[in-house]
Amino acid sequence: MDEKKIRWFTVSIIAFSMVWGFGNVVNNYAQQGISVVTSWILIMALYFIPYALIVGQLGSTFKSNAGGVSSWIKETTNSHRLAYYAAWTYWVVHITYLAQKPQSVLIALGWVFKRNGDVATSMSVQTVAIISLLIFLFFLFLSTKGLTTLKVIGSVAGSAMLVMSILFIILAVAIPFMDTSFTAATPQMNQLSTYIPDFNLSYFATISMLVFAVGGAEKISPYVNSIDRPTKNFPKAMIFMAVMIGLSAVLGSVAMGLLFNSNRIPEDLMANGAYSAFQILGNHFGVGDFFMIVYGFAQTAVQASALAFSIDAPLKILLSEADPEFVPSWLRKRNSKGTLINGYLLTGVLVSIIIILPVFGIKNMSELVKWLTNLNSVVMPMRYIWVFFAYMMLNRQIKKFQSEYKFIKNPKLGFIVGLWCFAFTAFACILGMIPKADYAADPSSWIFQLISNILTPFVLILLGMILPMWARRERKKIS
């Protein structure tokens, strides 16, 4: 075997750490309860495995393209405009993602220093908005100054988080065997019917969170051609990764069911659930708050690192080689140090609006965390749609391109699978706009969440449509 080639098992581990996180278990359990076990199995088989293998073929076909999804679109459609919209979507979906990170940092630090979830249950939305805005603006400034140290800290903390996620499953599942007096919080966990969801509108409104949880597989594409014999070993690597994620999701959800009653899920579970879970485990194993504090420090570092790099990296992808036909010169402007100064300014304005917006319609911090997490699950998967569109276009002209690895050799069947993933993602995003709050409990908050869930993605995409018009006017003035 070529020494420069990576073993398929190594690629599986890299991909697993890129895609998966313990927060995915907590957030989806908070939405669906113990029945999420069935949902995880379905989403893995029907969506995630095809998604990962589609990315594999695209990465293998366009191995010399550094632009990722936007370059796939340009190659398969020969359209610079569509490639711009793909690049814009990839960047703009990070706006809601960035708006949530300061609250995550705040909650993590609250658990580390106060040992409880008071930040998420007692702090007013106005106070949270002001503190979150200050945290964001600090990291916005920091991201313009170089991030080498923070990248190293984030990488180490990310490894710690992965270890903690696996440790949580092991410890939680071990409790009933070590302590015979232990009683599971969720009743009838030994009955199959407990794990079957009610397939109604409320259920389908939560699947965007599942799609959001398993998204991001396009980050794997650079590794396709690094594997020895990719035609044979890449599918093996992706299926093994999907099995690892599936086991983590299923066992993690069962572990959550042991600690939190699926029939009476706490209102603040999405905000505080992970910390409460580690605190409960620590008390069972006689180490007090040790697990929770380690997790809290790791979470703080990971969220801070993600905040800084999610400001910097997507912006550079969008603007570093931006087409002047679609992006006006003021947005491509650099200062004397080469910093895309107006790009950072635009990011700052848009994220600040999302951070301040809840002041006008959200009553408490727990509801804020749920709303922002759900808004992310509506907005973030919009970038995955471009992956499936590129795969559909690739299958329409399959003879034009050469690929060492092919997911499906029959182009018609390949197109249908791409269309299925495209339609499923769009379906999840649209239904995800339905608020998860109780309308009867707070009608004004429910209406605010519905309007913001619908308007936010449309406004962000509309802004991307305005920029080419601006660039065209600019070129007319010059000519």
Side-chain angles (χ1 to χ4, degrees), residues 162-434:
L162 195 60
V163 171
M164 291 295 288
S165 301
I166 296 167
L167 183 65
F168 168 76
I169 294 169
I170 294 169
L171 294 178
V173 174
I175 289 176
F177 299 100
M178 297 179 66
D179 182 1
T180 53
S181 63
F182 174 81
T183 304
T186 302
Q188 300 176 326
M189 287 187 69
N190 60 339
Q191 295 184 16
L192 186 62
S193 58
T194 305
Y195 301 89
I196 306 301
D198 292 325
F199 294 102
N200 51 27
L201 182 61
S202 296
Y203 172 81
F204 287 112
T206 65
I207 60 174
S208 63
M209 190 71 75
L210 292 162
V211 171
F212 178 38
V214 299
E218 62 275 5
K219 298 173 192 172
I220 304 160
S221 61
Y223 296 96
V224 180
N225 295 292
S226 300
I227 299 180
D228 180 57
R229 291 180 296 168
T231 302
K232 177 184 177 183
N233 288 330
F234 184 76
K236 191 190 297 183
M238 291 302 97
I239 291 168
F240 185 70
M241 174 196 65
V243 169
M244 285 196 295
I245 290 176
L247 284 173
S248 298
V250 169
L251 293 175
S253 301
V254 169
M256 289 294 290
L258 293 171
L259 304 180
F260 301 98
N261 190 336
S262 176
N263 303 317
R264 291 194 299 273
I265 294 173
E267 284 294 315
D268 66 334
L269 190 70
M270 207 171 275
N272 290 327
Y275 305 96
S276 296
F278 278 110
Q279 194 172 51
I280 293 168
L281 287 178
N283 291 330
H284 269 289
F285 285 89
V287 293
D289 292 336
F290 175 74
F291 292 142
M292 181 271 291
I293 291 170
V294 172
Y295 181 81
F297 274 121
Q299 180 78 328
T300 303
V302 165
Q303 297 300 326
S305 179
L307 175 55
F309 282 96
S310 294
I311 292 170
D312 187 62
L315 189 65
K316 285 180 178 174
I317 290 171
L318 174 67
L319 298 179
S320 289
E321 298 179 5
D323 191 331
E325 187 179 345
F326 305 107
V327 181
S329 60
W330 65 266
L331 190 55
R332 292 180 279 115
K333 181 183 175 184
R334 295 177 184 267
N335 64 11
S336 57
K337 294 181 180 178
T339 303
L340 293 156
I341 193 70
N342 288 334
Y344 283 102
L345 185 61
L346 179 62
T347 303
V349 170
L350 293 176
V351 174
S352 297
I353 290 170
I354 300 291
I355 289 174
I356 296 297
L357 192 62
V359 170
F360 302 101
I362 302 290
K363 299 295 194 299
N364 59 71
M365 177 67 162
S366 292
E367 200 62 42
L368 169 61
V369 171
K370 282 196 282 188
W371 169 68
L372 261 179
T373 307
N374 280 299
L375 182 61
N376 266 304
S377 77
V378 171
V379 174
M380 261 292 181
M382 293 192 321
R383 64 181 175 146
Y384 314 150
I385 284 173
W386 288 105
V387 175
F388 305 127
F389 179 71
Y391 184 66
M392 289 158 64
M393 294 302 101
L394 175 65
N395 277 282
R396 286 188 65 179
Q397 45 191 325
I398 197 71
K399 291 179 181 177
K400 180 181 173 183
F401 301 102
Q402 296 298 318
S403 174
E404 193 175 347
Y405 164 70
K406 285 185 180 178
F407 166 36
I408 295 173
K409 292 182 180 179
N410 185 315
K412 290 182 180 178
L413 181 57
F415 185 90
I416 291 169
V417 171
L419 180 62
W420 154 253
C421 290
F422 180 100
F424 185 81
T425 307
F427 173 76
C429 289
I430 292 167
L431 284 188
M433 293 176 181
I434 301 170

Side-chain angles (χ1 to χ4, degrees), residues 63-110:
K63 53 190 171 187
S64 59
N65 295 84
V69 178
S70 63
S71 64
W72 298 344
I73 293 293
K74 185 158 58 177
E75 293 287 347
T76 56
T77 65
N78 204 27
S79 168
H80 291 266
R81 182 173 292 274
L82 286 177
Y84 156 73
Y85 283 128
W88 173 263
T89 306
Y90 183 87
W91 173 73
V92 84
V93 296
H94 284 84
I95 296 300
T96 54
Y97 180 77
L98 288 168
Q100 189 177 20
K101 291 301 167 188
Q103 286 112 43
S104 301
V105 171
L106 197 57
I107 292 169
L109 289 173

